[in-house]
């Protein structure tokens, strides 16, 4: 049998370091184009396709924020890398809430009033509000989760009376397009909706979670404060 061609930790780390540097450079260049400070954009490395080993290397290379879209996978990796700031970026079933919330710095994917109410109950019980973002389906694709933009004011109406959650901003996913510029209206729409809700509530709503491998530079130009990047960092490292 042929020997397995597995990269050593050193080789892997070198490759990942290069990819991270490239992504950070691209974020900084996008910031420069619109006069933003790169320190206002947090890179979340989305580790859903890679092993604990590769996720750990990313964290050792100073990517302090890691994201997972499935609670069970987040539990596993957060146990191995407890020092990271963990972000849940996918659907949260209410029966997984108790185990997930204590592990994360943000839930990006609040996509129903029932989930918001359950998070509120959790936050009230533990005595500190759960930090969340409201997921909005700006692209109108049926396959994507989140509230329709027109529903968002009613989410904030409901949230006014909830002491157990703090809404820090909005999250969206653009429809994939080979031309990243085509995603711009989606991101602009999320920013405009955030600005409108800021006026409506008087809350800071500082965060816009938007931009993935294909479109993060456009998202940064449109005001993203969290970019969620998987493929560009981890492509072909899944089996490592
Ligand atoms: C997988 C995932 C990402 C990362 O996508 P890439 O295109 O691989 O960068 C970002 N956000 C969410 C919600 C995801 O599920």
């Amino acid at each position: 049998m042929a020997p397995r061609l597995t990269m050593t930790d050193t080789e892997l780390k070198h490759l990942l370091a290069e990819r991270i540097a490239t992504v950070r450079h691209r974020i900084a260049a996008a910031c420069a184009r619109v006069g933003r400070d790169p320190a206002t954009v947090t890179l979340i490395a989305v580790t859903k396709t890679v092993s604990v080993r590769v996720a750990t290397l990313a964290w050792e290379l100073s990517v302090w924020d890691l994201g997972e879209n499935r609670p069970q996978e987040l539990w596993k990796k957060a146990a191995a890398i407890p020092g990271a700031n963990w972000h849940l970026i996918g659907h949260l079933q209410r029966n997984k809430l108790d185990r997930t919330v204590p592990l994360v710095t943000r839930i990006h994917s609040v996509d129903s009033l029932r989930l918001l109410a359950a998070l509120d109950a959790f936050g009230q019980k533990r005595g500190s509000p759960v930090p969340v973002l409201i997921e909005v389906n700006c692209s109108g694709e049926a396959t994507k989760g989140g509230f329709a933009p027109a529903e968002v004011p009613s989410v904030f109406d409901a949230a006014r009376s909830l002491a157990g959650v703090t809404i820090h901003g909005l999250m969206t996913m653009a429809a994939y397009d080979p031309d990243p510029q085509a995603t711009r209206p989606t991101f602009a729409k999320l920013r405009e909706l955030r600005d409108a809700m800021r006026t409506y509530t008087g809350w800071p709503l500082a965060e816009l979670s938007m931009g993935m491998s294909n479109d993060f530079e456009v998202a940064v130009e449109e005001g993203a404060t969290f970019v969620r990047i998987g493929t560009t960092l981890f492509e072909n490292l899944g089996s490592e």
Side-chain angles (χ1 to χ4, degrees):
M1 235 169 76
R4 274 194 67 207
L5 294 174
T6 300
M7 277 186 261
T8 65
D9 270 8
T10 311
E11 288 164 337
L12 240 186
K13 210 164 177 170
H14 185 75
L15 176 63
L16 246 187
E18 255 175 29
R19 291 185 183 178
I20 292 165
T22 301
V23 165
R24 291 205 186 280
H25 180 81
R26 289 170 62 187
I27 291 170
C31 283
R33 288 195 286 279
V34 294
R36 293 187 62 195
D37 175 358
T40 62
V41 181
T42 299
L43 168 62
I44 300 174
V46 178
T47 53
K48 67 188 178 196
T49 60
V50 294
S51 60
V52 165
R53 174 182 177 231
V54 174
T56 303
L57 285 175
W59 185 72
E60 288 173 3
L61 289 163
S62 306
V63 180
W64 308 128
D65 290 79
L66 304 179
E68 281 288 332
N69 65 338
R70 295 185 171 194
Q72 281 108 321
E73 193 62 23
L74 190 146
W75 302 342
K76 186 178 93 185
K77 289 197 178 108
I81 317 169
N85 302 318
W86 283 99
H87 298 257
L88 183 74
I89 61 173
H91 181 66
L92 178 60
Q93 292 125 302
R94 283 172 299 151
N95 64 359
K96 302 203 171 68
L97 187 155
D98 287 17
R99 209 174 148 184
T100 306
V101 172
L103 302 173
V104 301
T105 181
R106 291 283 182 279
I107 305 271
H108 290 234
S109 40
V110 173
D111 54 5
S112 74
L113 289 175
R114 289 202 315 174
L115 176 58
L116 190 68
L119 289 164
D120 173 58
F122 184 94
Q124 299 226 23
K125 203 162 88 187
R126 79 170 176 188
S128 75
V130 180
V132 305
L133 306 179
I134 302 300
E135 181 173 355
V136 185
N137 184 347
C138 287
S139 64
E141 284 175 291
T143 54
K144 291 218 154 64
F147 293 95
E151 294 175 314
V152 171
S154 67
V155 177
F156 282 89
D157 286 338
R160 278 179 206 274
S161 61
L162 305 180
V165 285
T166 301
I167 301 179
H168 288 269
L170 305 179
M171 180 271 223
T172 201
M173 285 170 86
Y176 175 82
D177 195 298
D179 174 12
Q181 293 301 332
T183 62
R184 191 177 295 279
T186 296
F187 298 140
K189 191 167 175 176
L190 194 74
R191 188 194 63 240
E192 285 157 16
L193 189 56
R194 186 279 306 272
D195 293 349
M197 290 305 101
R198 195 184 250 169
T199 305
Y200 187 58
T201 59
W203 299 345
L205 304 180
E207 292 167 4
L208 289 174
S209 172
M210 57 189 196
M212 311 181 6
S213 290
N214 182 55
D215 51 28
F216 69 90
E217 288 147 304
V218 178
V220 166
E221 288 172 12
E222 294 297 331
T225 61
F226 288 120
V227 292
R228 311 178 308 265
I229 300 184
T231 310
T232 295
L233 294 173
F234 298 122
E235 196 164 28
N236 299 324
L237 301 184
S239 57
E240 294 295 336

